[in-house]
Amino acid sequence: MAVLAFESSAHTLGVGIVSDGKVLANVRSMYPITDKGIVPTKVADFHSSHIASSVSRAFRDSGLSIEDIEAIGYTKGPGIGPCLSVGNIAAKALALKYGKPVIPVNHSVAHIEITKHIYGFSDPLAVYVSGGNSQILGMEDNPRHYRVYGETLDIGVGNMLDGFARLAGLSPAWGSTVAKASEGGRYIEMPYTVKGMDFAFTGLLTHAEKMLSRHSIRDVAFSLQETAFSMVCEAAERALLLTGRDSIVLSGGVAQSARLKEMLSLICKDHGISFGVAPNEYNADNGAMIALVAEKMLRSGSSFSIASCGVDQKYRIDRVRITW
Amino acid sequence: MVERPFSEGAEAVVLKEKFMGVDSVLKKRNPKRYRIKQLDTQLRLRRTRSEARIMLKLLRGGVRVPRLLSAGRYTIRMELIDGTKLSDMQKSGGIPVSALRKSAAELAKMHDLGIAHGDFTPANIFVSGQDVFIIDFGLSSSNAIAEEKAIDILLMKRSIKPEEFQEFLSSYKPSGRSAIISKLAAIERMGRYQSRTMDSKA
């Protein structure tokens, strides 16, 4: 038996199928981002128009049919309301039509769990960096949950990089474009805000915007990226030393950054611990990670009434009880 | 002189050494190879300089901090405080009420001097005999605004038990520091903090 799940928290629509922790399908379609960024209702329309064909493809890729599906998972949050609703409605519609249970999954938990799953780590420190989120976490007991040791006090590092790309006229406006623009850049001083294990990015973005009139895009992009990632790494290293773990996982959309991977792997080497970062298809938003967690929830006995399955744009990871 | 690592933080290595016959600790900000050199040097230099200045200011203002013995570009030497960290007390039976009260009194004195600690957690507070000492001023700021001071209190609130925090807060004398306390309430109302720790209803 297998679990099928929908991911639709932001610009990517994902449909994944997982059976006993094995990914059998991971279909993804991404809303074409323009200089206007993400327009929620337009993205929701994009997801709606692609969802039926994505499900068909997931069945084709896995060689399974609806009879093989034991439960339907979906992303409850955090994310963008209208986008989340598409996956939520699709999950409930399938569940009602075919009489399957529905399982609401926290998006942040899924990013971290799939990386742990790939590497077989049991209790790593997690560095979760995406558009809307940037957190340093670890699992704690009584009750079992992910505790947030530190996090951004304002915006996520991904949204900060996207925002900078738009200000600098870089297209497409996301992190890898900023990374490319920064190649060969020289460092100019930027505000560096770390408060214990928390950090903040808006001051950095405002300063970078001002610097654009005096310095090259390359130098500003380079300094911005180095400063932002150094802040995250310092907070992660502090959390590592305070909580004493034997591994670090790097997850979320910004985990695709080659520079951030390099920096965190150096920290792990210096402390003699293991480092894990998933292949990019699992760091970008995807349905497989949602199906993986939905299956874990199902196997550990969680069940939900369809009426209680909604969406929650601000569904914080530390409110999720971990049952496996 | 034998170097023996005493503790290691994200920022610095602390070595215990004899200095002119006295027990001292040397706090060394070593390079971090994950950062580019310019940023690394700038951060280590700025924090060492700022920490030494703030320690002097606190000593002169009567706040209990280790005495400064010498300072270099990336090093600060200070007297060794022979005591127990509040964070270690937490692990073995809890923090005594007197230590909570004295920590709050030291923090209040610090705030009255215009200084916010920046990382005010039980790991940075020592109990030695009858006294409480505050350490680690690498993230501190002088001329701090109410928000920075409020974050000191928030960090403590998140690190200790609710009943311990009540004891702490009453000795901080919130009535005389209403701007800071109302800022604390404002920060806690911000979305990101609302469910920072999981409650029993979740």
Side-chain angles (χ1 to χ4, degrees):
Chain A
M1 292 303 268
V3 172
L4 178 144
F6 297 98
E7 153 61 34
S8 65
S9 63
H11 53 53
T12 298
L13 171 73
V15 177
I17 298 179
V18 163
S19 176
D20 288 329
K22 205 167 167 250
V23 177
L24 302 180
N26 191 23
V27 179
R28 292 186 297 133
S29 335
M30 187 174 153
Y31 170 79
I33 293 189
T34 63
D35 55 357
K36 289 188 182 62
I38 294 178
V39 184
T41 49
K42 287 189 178 167
V43 183
D45 286 346
F46 172 88
H47 291 348
S48 305
S49 60
H50 286 76
I51 203 156
S53 57
S54 298
V55 172
S56 309
R57 234 194 85 195
F59 280 134
R60 243 190 352 263
D61 289 355
S62 62
L64 300 183
S65 65
I66 190 75
E67 289 75 39
D68 304 309
I69 301 300
E70 196 178 348
I72 315 283
Y74 73 96
T75 303
K76 178 179 172 182
I80 302 166
C83 305
L84 287 168
S85 291
V86 176
N88 173 242
I89 291 166
K92 289 197 282 197
L94 270 186
L96 283 170
K97 185 166 180 196
Y98 296 100
K100 316 269 182 194
V102 186
I103 300 177
V105 175
N106 179 285
H107 180 87
S108 317
V109 169
H111 267 299
I112 296 170
E113 285 296 327
I114 192 133
T115 315
K116 279 168 67 176
H117 180 74
I118 290 169
Y119 283 86
F121 294 163
S122 61
D123 186 26
L125 183 79
V127 178
Y128 170 50
V129 279
S130 66
N133 297 288
S134 297
Q135 297 172 318
I136 316 289
L137 321 101
M139 188 91 86
E140 296 213 351
D141 288 325
N142 303 320
R144 195 165 162 79
H145 70 292
Y146 276 104
R147 177 160 172 199
V148 179
Y149 298 123
E151 67 183 313
T152 176
L153 298 173
D154 43 44
I155 57 174
V157 63
N159 285 356
M160 190 274 289
L161 292 170
D162 299 353
F164 173 76
R166 282 194 291 276
L167 291 170
L170 299 170
S171 180
W174 58 52
S176 60
T177 315
V178 176
K180 199 162 258 167
S182 76
E183 279 169 20
R186 283 171 311 163
Y187 176 71
I188 42 178
E189 196 175 335
M190 293 268 157
Y192 182 99
T193 317
V194 172
K195 302 176 180 187
M197 290 182 278
D198 293 328
F199 33 85
F201 295 113
T202 46
L204 180 58
L205 180 57
T206 308
H207 186 81
E209 182 180 10
K210 279 189 212 145
M211 291 295 110
L212 279 174
S213 60
R214 301 220 301 262
H215 297 273
S216 68
I217 290 179
R218 184 171 62 183
D219 289 352
V220 180
F222 175 76
S223 311
L224 177 82
Q225 181 178 290
E226 287 298 326
T227 305
F229 291 168
S230 294
M231 283 161 48
V232 172
C233 286
E234 183 184 348
E237 192 179 23
R238 184 162 294 134
L240 178 73
L241 288 161
L242 282 174
T243 65
R245 286 183 155 82
D246 64 356
S247 54
I248 292 183
V249 291
L250 172 64
S251 312
V254 183
Q256 295 171 86
S257 157
R259 177 62 180 138
L260 185 56
K261 286 181 205 176
E262 181 190 16
M263 290 166 91
L264 269 172
S265 69
L266 282 173
I267 290 180
C268 290
K269 260 187 210 144
D270 286 346
H271 292 282
I273 62 169
S274 315
F275 176 63
V277 57
N280 284 347
E281 68 169 310
Y282 298 117
N283 280 323
D285 287 349
N286 66 91
M289 65 179 190
I290 305 298
L292 179 86
V293 171
E295 190 181 46
K296 283 177 186 287
M297 291 168 78
L298 184 74
R299 296 280 175 262
S300 57
S302 300
S303 70
F304 305 85
S305 71
I306 286 194
S308 74
C309 289
V311 301
D312 182 353
Q313 296 192 75
K314 296 196 170 179
Y315 187 23
R316 277 186 63 96
I317 187 170
D318 44 12
R319 298 200 71 86
V320 182
R321 190 161 286 188
I322 303 296
T323 50
W324 58 91
Chain B
M1 206 152 39
V2 180
E3 283 200 347
R4 176 159 71 97
F6 190 46
S7 73
E8 188 191 6
E11 256 217 295
V13 185
V14 178
L15 306 163
K16 200 169 160 181
E17 286 179 351
K18 282 271 187 207
F19 177 69
M20 298 173 73
V22 205
D23 280 334
S24 78
V25 297
L26 183 68
K27 182 169 178 176
K28 250 177 149 169
R29 287 186 164 82
N30 289 328
K32 296 285 179 188
R33 60 180 180 142
Y34 68 82
R35 299 195 280 242
I36 54 165
K37 198 157 188 247
Q38 297 101 308
L39 177 57
D40 185 64
T41 308
Q42 175 202 313
L43 279 176
R44 291 189 295 130
L45 205 57
R46 194 199 284 153
R47 285 176 178 173
T48 307
R49 207 173 275 169
S50 153
E51 180 166 27
R53 274 199 198 117
I54 284 176
M55 283 180 79
L56 278 180
K57 200 170 165 185
L58 291 170
L59 278 168
R60 290 194 189 114
V63 180
R64 287 197 190 279
V65 303
R67 267 172 306 181
L68 191 70
L69 300 174
S70 69
R73 280 171 73 81
Y74 307 115
T75 57
I76 292 178
R77 189 186 297 279
M78 63 194 98
E79 71 169 319
L80 173 77
I81 303 295
D82 202 5
T84 313
K85 280 183 185 180
L86 287 198
S87 54
D88 290 332
M89 292 181 155
Q90 278 181 310
K91 288 171 207 152
S92 57
I95 307 172
V97 170
S98 64
L100 289 166
R101 288 185 182 155
K102 283 175 184 164
S103 310
E106 296 305 318
L107 184 68
K109 271 195 269 176
M110 196 185 303
H111 284 177
D112 290 348
L113 290 168
I115 294 167
H117 186 280
D119 192 18
F120 197 71
T121 65
N124 286 328
I125 304 169
F126 267 91
V127 177
S128 175
Q130 295 299 303
D131 295 321
V132 156
F133 286 85
I134 315 295
I135 60 158
D136 203 351
F137 302 93
L139 298 177
S140 304
S141 51
S142 38
N143 303 318
I145 55 171
E147 182 176 339
E148 293 172 282
K149 295 175 184 174
I151 285 176
D152 282 346
I153 301 171
L154 183 69
L155 269 180
M156 199 62 182
K157 185 176 182 178
R158 266 166 28 190
S159 311
I160 60 183
K161 293 182 192 144
E163 59 273 23
E164 291 174 334
F165 181 69
Q166 279 317 310
E167 213 46 78
F168 176 87
L169 193 63
S170 64
S171 297
Y172 180 77
K173 299 208 173 52
S175 56
R177 299 178 179 82
S178 55
I180 299 170
I181 298 302
S182 59
K183 201 76 208 181
L184 173 67
I187 295 171
E188 287 188 290
R189 278 197 302 274
M190 281 161 58
R192 293 205 181 264
Y193 283 98
Q194 275 179 16
S195 51
R196 183 69 181 242
T197 48
M198 192 179 182
D199 60 50
S200 52
K201 283 170 289 181

